[in-house]
Amino acid sequence: MKEKKKDVAVEDRAGDESYNQWKAAIPLVYDWFTNHNLVWPSQSCRWGPQLEEGKYKNLHRLYLSERTDGTFPNTLVISNCEVVKPRIAAAEHISKFNEEHCSPFIDEFKTIIHPGEVNRIRELPQSSKIIATHTDSPDVLIWDVEAQPDRHVARNVSESLPDLILTGHQDNAEYALAMCPLEPLVLSGGKDKSVVLWSIHDHVSVLAEASSDKSPGVSPESLSNKQSIEAGDEKNSESPTIGPRGVFQGHEDTVEDVQFCPASPQEFCSAGDDSCIILWDARAGTSPVTKVEKAHDGDINCVDWNPHDVNLILTGSADGSVRMFDRRNLLTCDGAGSPVHRFELHKAAILCVQWSPDKASVFGSSSEDGFLNIWDYEKVGRNDGVARRVANAAYGLFFQHAGHRDKVVDFHWNASDPWTIVSVSDDCARVNGGGTVQIWRMSDLIYRPEEEVLEELEKFKDDILSCSSET
C-alpha cells in the first residue's frame, strides 16, 4: 500500500513538471488563452450565440453546468464571455493566470436551478435562446434561457421549471443528445437501448391550437411556457410535455451518443456500449438502415458527423482510439467496422470528438488522459507536422492542448470564431475547486498553410532589415 502511494506521488510530480512545461510555452503556441476555476465539477460546456462585436473583443454566450455534492442544488449557468480577437492579446499576459481564480473574461449572467445533474447541453440552431439538457432521468428538458428567471443558489431551494419536457424513454437517458441543424428536431439515446426523436414543432402546434387569437408565425422562438414563473412559484405550475415522433430500436446496450446527418433531418446515427454504430433513416421506419458491429474494441462514448463531408463519421471509445468511418464503406465482409483511419495517441478513454466548423479535415478529441488533441486527417501519411518533430506522436496530430490536469470531459468549437475552443476538465483533486474551464485559440502559424506562413515570415524579415538599414 505504501508503494502505491509512492507511485502516485511520482506520477503527480511528473504531471506537474509536464504542466509547468506547457504553461511556459503558452506565449509561443497560443494566440489567446484564459483559465476559469469552477466551484463545482462541470460535465458540459457549449458556446451560444455571439451577442456583440467590438473592436478588440467579441461578446459570446457560454453555457456551463455545475454538479454539486448534494448539499446545494445542481445548476445550469448562462454566462457572457469576452473573446479577444486574433492577434490582439499580448503574449506576456496570456500566460499569467492563477489556476484557482475566475477568469476576468467570463461573467455569470443567469443561473437556472436544474432538476438533477446537467450531463449534456445542446443549443437549438433555429433559435438562439433555446437549449436542451440531459440529466439523470428519462426526460429531455428544454429551456428558454432568456425567459427563465435568474435564481439564487441556496440549500433546499426549489428547482426551476423547464419550458418543455420531452418524454419517451423508458429508462434514464443521461448523455446522448443532439439537435438537428436543419429543422427543430431533438434526438436522444439512453439506458433503454433506444434512440428517440422529437419535433419542437409538435409543441408549437399545440400552442397555436390553444391560442385564442390563432396568431400566425408561431415558431421555436415562442417555445416558452407562457405562465410567468417567479422564484418560488414553480409548485403552482407544470411544464408542458410532448411525446416522440419515433422510437428506434437496434442497440443491445446503453446508447451513449447520437448525431444528426448535417444534410438530412431524417438521417442520424448512434453509438453505444455495445461497440456498435447504427445509421438510421426515419423515412424507412424504426429499424436500423446499417449496423456496424465491433466498430471499436470497447464502449463507444461519442460520435460526430462531418458538417462539410456527410460521408465521414467520427467515433471515440473507451479503448482510447478515435476512428473515422466512411458511410459508403462501413463494413468488412464479416460485418465488423472498417474505419478509414485510426487515431491512436490518447492513453485513456475518449470522452468527446468533434469536427471543426471551419475546415473539413480537422477535428478534436478529448480524453480521460487530460489531453485535447487537434487532428487533420489530410496529414495522415505525410512525413511532416507534429509527428515528425515529437517522439511517439501519431500522424494526423498537429496540436495538443495540455492545460488540463485531469480528464477533459467536454469541449466545443466556437462557430463564430472557428479556431477558438472552450474545454472543461474534472480536476477537483488537483486545483482548489470543482474543475477548470479553459478558452483558448492556438497561434495561426500552426494551422495556416505553410507557404502562407513562410511568406509572412519572409516579409517580416524584410521589414526588420529595412528598419535596420534606415537606422
Side-chain angles (χ1 to χ4, degrees), residues 88-391:
I88 295 295
E92 62 270 19
H93 291 163
I94 62 174
S95 60
K96 294 179 180 179
F97 63 90
N98 189 318
E99 288 86 351
E100 298 183 2
H101 290 177
C102 294
S103 167
F105 297 97
I106 299 176
D107 183 39
E108 188 173 307
F109 168 71
K110 183 180 291 187
T111 299
I112 293 172
I113 307 298
H114 197 273
E117 298 178 359
V118 185
N119 297 323
R120 284 289 182 273
I121 305 168
R122 293 293 182 266
E123 63 284 354
L124 184 67
Q126 294 78 27
S127 173
S128 61
K129 64 180 183 177
I130 304 300
I131 64 172
T133 58
H134 246 333
T135 183
D136 42 2
S137 84
D139 301 327
V140 176
L141 309 182
I142 305 294
W143 306 89
D144 183 332
V145 296
E146 298 298 332
Q148 284 287 330
D150 185 19
R151 301 291 305 280
H152 175 68
V153 178
R155 297 176 189 270
N156 303 316
V157 69
S158 58
E159 297 169 344
S160 297
L161 191 68
D163 294 283
L164 180 64
I165 298 177
L166 311 184
T167 63
H169 279 292
Q170 304 304 310
D171 201 345
N172 284 359
E174 299 176 344
Y175 295 103
L177 183 63
M179 299 285 216
C180 178
L182 301 174
E183 295 182 14
L185 301 174
V186 183
L187 198 62
S188 169
K191 290 185 176 180
D192 57 2
K193 310 173 188 177
S194 65
V195 175
V196 184
L197 175 69
W198 296 268
S199 173
I200 300 295
H201 276 317
D202 291 345
H203 174 59
V204 172
S205 299
V206 171
L207 285 180
E209 291 172 6
S211 176
S212 57
D213 59 4
K214 303 292 182 182
S215 58
V218 181
S219 70
E221 293 287 349
S222 60
L223 176 67
S224 177
N225 184 358
K226 298 305 176 182
Q227 303 175 59
S228 177
I229 305 168
E230 300 298 334
D233 291 341
E234 290 85 349
K235 299 298 182 182
N236 301 325
S237 303
E238 291 185 1
S239 299
T241 64
I242 59 169
R245 285 277 181 100
V247 178
F248 301 81
Q249 303 284 352
H251 282 283
E252 298 174 6
D253 208 332
T254 300
V255 180
E256 294 288 357
D257 204 6
V258 291
Q259 193 58 253
F260 280 97
C261 173
S264 170
Q266 303 300 325
E267 298 177 63
F268 40 92
C269 65
S270 58
D273 291 347
D274 55 4
S275 302
C276 294
I277 307 169
I278 298 182
L279 270 59
W280 312 85
D281 189 330
R283 296 164 296 194
T286 58
S287 298
V289 172
T290 306
K291 184 173 183 177
V292 183
E293 305 275 2
K294 300 178 182 178
H296 278 268
D297 300 324
D299 300 353
I300 303 177
N301 296 326
C302 43
V303 63
D304 198 25
W305 208 316
N306 193 318
H308 307 282
D309 185 342
V310 295
N311 292 313
L312 299 181
I313 297 172
L314 279 178
T315 55
S317 169
D319 65 15
S321 73
V322 177
R323 300 185 182 183
M324 186 174 76
F325 293 86
D326 188 324
R327 67 170 176 169
R328 296 165 297 185
N329 186 27
L330 285 168
L331 304 171
T332 61
C333 55
D334 61 355
S338 177
V340 178
H341 295 300
R342 303 177 186 223
F343 303 89
E344 299 177 330
L345 179 64
H346 287 290
K347 298 178 180 178
I350 310 299
L351 300 179
C352 183
V353 292
Q354 190 180 125
W355 291 101
S356 163
D358 186 62
K359 188 176 179 182
S361 60
V362 172
F363 65 90
S365 62
S366 68
S367 168
E368 289 183 357
D369 64 9
F371 293 106
L372 200 170
N373 293 337
I374 306 299
W375 310 80
D376 186 342
Y377 72 75
E378 288 185 345
K379 295 182 181 294
V380 173
R382 294 183 187 177
N383 187 27
D384 61 4
V386 173
R388 185 177 61 189
R389 300 189 300 270
V390 181

Side-chain angles (χ1 to χ4, degrees), residues 38 41 53 55-56 68 114 135 217 237 368 419 435 446:
L38 297 170
E53 182 171 359
K55 185 176 181 180
Y56 301 110
T68 70
H114 197 273
T135 183
S237 303
E368 289 183 357
W419 288 94
I446 297 172

